[in-house]
Amino acid sequence: MAGNDVIVLGAGIVGISAALHLQQRGRAVTLIDRRGMVEETSFGNAGIIQREAVVPYTFPRDPALVMKYAFNFLPEANLHWSALPKIAPWLFRHWLQSTPERKDATARGAKPLVERCIVEHEALAAEAGVLGLMRRTGYLRIYRSAQAFDQAVAKDAVDREMYGVTYQAVDARGLAELEPHLKGSLAGGVLMPQPVSVSDPGALGRAYGELLISRGAKFLRGEARTLEQVGGGWQVQTSMGPVTAPEVVVAMGAWSDDVLRALGYRFPLGIKRGYHMHYRAAGNATLSRPVLDAQNGYVLTSMTNGIRLTTGAEFANRDAPLTPRQLELAEPLARGIFPLGTRVDAQPWLGRRPCLPDMLPVISRAPRHQGLWLDFGHHHLGLTLGPVSGRLLAEMITGETPFIDPTPYRADRF
Ligand SMILES: Cc1cc2nc3c(=O)[nH]c(=O)nc-3n(C[C@H](O)[C@H](O)[C@H](O)COP(=O)(O)OP(=O)(O)OC[C@H]3O[C@@H](n4cnc5c(N)ncnc54)[C@H](O)[C@@H]3O)c2cc1C
C-alpha cells in the first residue's frame, strides 16, 4: 500500500492522538492495531483528565508500609508473588527513582505536559463534536480518619507551594454539601477543582479515531510485531497486505516492548494492572464528580454505564489471568460510603498501565533507528496526557519547534 508518510502502531488514546496531530500537520497517516480502536487500557480507565497530577506516584519508602503492600494487606495494591522474579528489577528501579529529589525531578518534568492536558483535549473534543463527554467537575479525595486528612492537607500545602497545584480542603460538612449521597463517618476531603471527568473514555477515544478517519487517515488491523526496516523505511503486515512508510510511531502502551525488544531496545517498562466494575446507584443516589477513597486506593466515578469503580495497582505479569481481589476488597468499602446497587458487568474489566521507573513517558526519537519514534509509558495518566503528548511528538517529527522542552521524555535517559 503506497502513499503513507507515517505508520502509527497502537490505537489507544496515545496512538490516536499522535495520529491526529500528525494529520493536522499534513502527514498521511495509517493507524494499525490488532484489535479495534480503544479496546484496551484507554477503554476502561477512571476517565479523569488529571490536571492536578504533577506529583507522581512513588514507591513507598516506609518499610512498614512496604511490608503491608508486599503481604497484600491493603486494598490499594495487589502483588502476585509468583511474578516477583520477573518484576523485581523494575520495582527496584522504581524504588531508586522515588527519593524526594527524583520525585521532584519527575514533577518538574511532568508539569509542562500536565498544565496543557485540558486545553489539548478540549481542542480535539471540539473538532470531534464530543465536548459533551467532558465535565468540569473537579476530583475529590475523601479521608476516613482525621489523622490521614490532616497529613494530606499538610502535604497538599507543600505541593501547592512547589508546583502550583490547586487544592481546597473541606470538612465533613463541606463534603456533605459537595456530595450529598456520600455516607459513613468521613473526616474530610480535598477538592481538586481543575480536573475534568469524562463520562465515557472509550467513546471519547473512538470519537477522536472517527475524526481521524473522516479526515482521510486509514485504520487497519495488523500485527505490530511484524515491523521491519525495508529500504530506508518501515513495513508492517496488515489484513490488507504490507504497509510501508518512511516513519513509524510505536504507541502501544503496555505492549510497546513487544516491538522494541526485537529492535534491540531494553526499556524498563513495568505494568501496573487495574480493574473496573460498574454498579447501579441505589435509589436516586448520584455522584457529581470522581471520588477517591484515599485510604483504600479506589475511585468511584459516575459514567454512562453506571457508577464505575476502578482499582489501584496490581503488580503481576502483564498477561497473567485476572485476579480481581482488589475489586472484592474495595466493593464492601465502597458500599460503606455510597449506596451502590447491583453489579452491571458480567466480568471485571482489566487494564494495564505502562509504567517507566521515573513515571515519565517516552516521547522521543528512537536512539538508534532512523524514522522510528516512540510515544509510550504514560502510566496512570495516559488519558490525561494522550493529546498533549501527541502534539509534542508530531512537532518533533515534522521539525517544528516543540512547544515545550522534550528533554525529560528522551528515550536515551535509560
Ligand atoms: C484502572 C485504571 C484507571 C485509570 N484511570 C486513569 C485516569 O483516570 N486518567 C488517566 O489519565 N489515565 C488513567 N489510567 C491510565 C490510562 O488508561 C493509560 O495510561 C492509557 O490508557 C494508555 O494508553 P495507550 O494508548 O498508551 O495504551 P492502550 O490504550 O493500552 O493501547 C495500546 C494499543 O496497542 C495495541 N497493541 C498491543 N499489541 C499489539 C500488537 N502486537 N499489534 C498491534 N497492536 C497492538 C492494543 O490492541 C491497544 O489498542 C488508568 C488505567 C487503569 C488501568
Side-chain angles (χ1 to χ4, degrees):
M1 198 174 288
N4 295 303
D5 296 321
V6 190
I7 295 168
V8 177
L9 297 174
I13 189 70
V14 173
I16 291 172
S17 299
L20 273 170
H21 276 283
L22 284 160
Q23 186 183 55
Q24 276 178 13
R25 289 162 179 78
R27 297 297 194 269
V29 180
T30 298
L31 179 68
I32 295 176
D33 202 293
R34 64 183 173 189
R35 301 188 60 175
M37 285 195 204
V38 201
E39 292 189 359
E40 290 283 1
T41 318
S42 303
F43 168 81
N45 55 51
I48 312 166
I49 302 178
Q50 289 194 247
R51 173 60 186 80
E52 89 297 350
V54 173
V55 182
Y57 287 103
T58 49
F59 195 98
R61 310 292 286 182
D62 170 7
L65 190 55
V66 174
M67 293 313 279
K68 282 187 191 162
Y69 282 131
F71 289 101
N72 293 332
F73 288 155
L74 302 174
E76 61 206 66
N78 191 40
L79 170 68
H80 283 191
W81 276 81
S82 58
L84 210 48
K86 192 159 173 210
I87 65 178
W90 181 85
L91 287 172
F92 181 62
R93 289 185 74 158
H94 184 37
W95 178 78
L96 288 177
Q97 290 288 339
S98 297
T99 61
E101 299 74 32
R102 301 250 167 115
K103 182 174 159 186
D104 177 59
T106 290
R108 291 184 193 286
K111 191 166 182 268
L113 285 179
V114 172
E115 277 175 349
R116 284 201 64 83
C117 66
I118 295 175
V119 181
E120 297 296 340
H121 257 293
E122 284 181 342
L124 296 186
E127 290 174 40
V130 286
L131 272 173
L133 295 175
M134 297 172 64
R135 306 167 295 190
R136 283 192 167 267
T137 59
Y139 174 28
L140 182 65
R141 280 189 252 130
I142 58 166
Y143 294 88
R144 293 163 184 255
S145 84
Q147 190 193 11
F149 177 47
D150 292 344
Q151 282 171 356
V153 171
K155 180 182 172 300
D156 290 345
V158 176
D159 290 348
R160 183 190 297 119
E161 179 69 23
M162 287 181 73
Y163 309 113
V165 181
T166 308
Y167 303 102
Q168 293 166 8
V170 285
D171 59 13
R173 182 193 294 245
L175 265 186
E177 279 168 22
L178 284 172
E179 295 291 349
H181 294 108
L182 284 180
K183 56 182 184 140
S185 169
L186 300 171
V190 176
L191 175 67
M192 297 159 281
Q194 294 163 306
V196 164
S197 167
V198 177
S199 57
D200 186 341
L204 186 79
R206 283 194 302 277
Y208 291 178
E210 281 155 22
L211 176 67
L212 180 77
I213 304 308
S214 73
R215 292 177 170 175
K218 285 174 247 145
F219 174 59
L220 298 175
R221 300 288 178 122
E223 175 48 69
R225 284 173 294 184
T226 60
L227 179 70
E228 58 179 335
Q229 254 181 321
V230 287
W234 295 91
Q235 185 172 78
V236 180
Q237 302 299 326
T238 75
S239 57
M240 303 295 283
V243 173
T244 55
E247 302 191 275
V248 62
V249 176
V250 175
M252 293 159 52
W255 295 268
S256 299
D257 239 10
D258 291 357
V259 163
L260 296 172
R261 279 185 169 261
L263 295 170
Y265 294 100
R266 294 284 178 272
F267 287 99
L269 185 64
I271 309 299
K272 292 194 199 175
R273 309 199 317 173
Y275 297 86
H276 89 210
M277 172 56 67
H278 291 99
Y279 300 84
R280 286 179 226 294
N284 64 350
T286 53
L287 275 181
S288 301
R289 57 185 61 74
V291 173
L292 168 68
D293 182 349
Q295 290 170 259
N296 294 301
Y298 65 85
V299 176
L300 293 177
T301 312
S302 177
M303 295 252 175
T304 309
N305 290 346
I307 302 289
R308 180 177 290 183
L309 189 162
T310 43
T311 66
E314 182 174 64
F315 298 90
N317 287 324
R318 184 188 69 192
D319 302 326
L322 273 68
T323 52
R325 188 178 157 275
Q326 288 165 285
L327 196 56
E328 305 304 334
L329 293 173
E331 183 177 313
L333 293 166
R335 289 187 186 284
I337 57 162
F338 184 79
L340 289 178
T342 50
R343 286 185 170 197
V344 173
D345 309 319
Q347 296 292 332
W349 169 88
L350 171 66
R352 295 160 176 92
R353 304 174 182 94
C355 303
L356 293 155
D358 60 1
M359 291 289 145
L360 286 172
V362 167
I363 308 167
S364 174
R365 165 192 298 286
R368 296 190 300 278
H369 290 81
Q370 178 73 23
L372 176 62
W373 297 88
L374 310 174
D375 193 1
F376 71 93
H378 291 78
H379 56 95
H380 295 252
L381 295 180
L383 172 67
T384 302
L385 300 180
V388 68
S389 302
R391 173 176 168 184
L392 181 62
L393 186 82
E395 287 173 348
M396 288 194 275
I397 293 177
T398 57
E400 282 174 45
T401 305
F403 76 99
I404 54 170
D405 175 10
T407 307
Y409 329 115
R410 279 184 353 252
D412 62 7
R413 69 184 191 270
F414 298 108

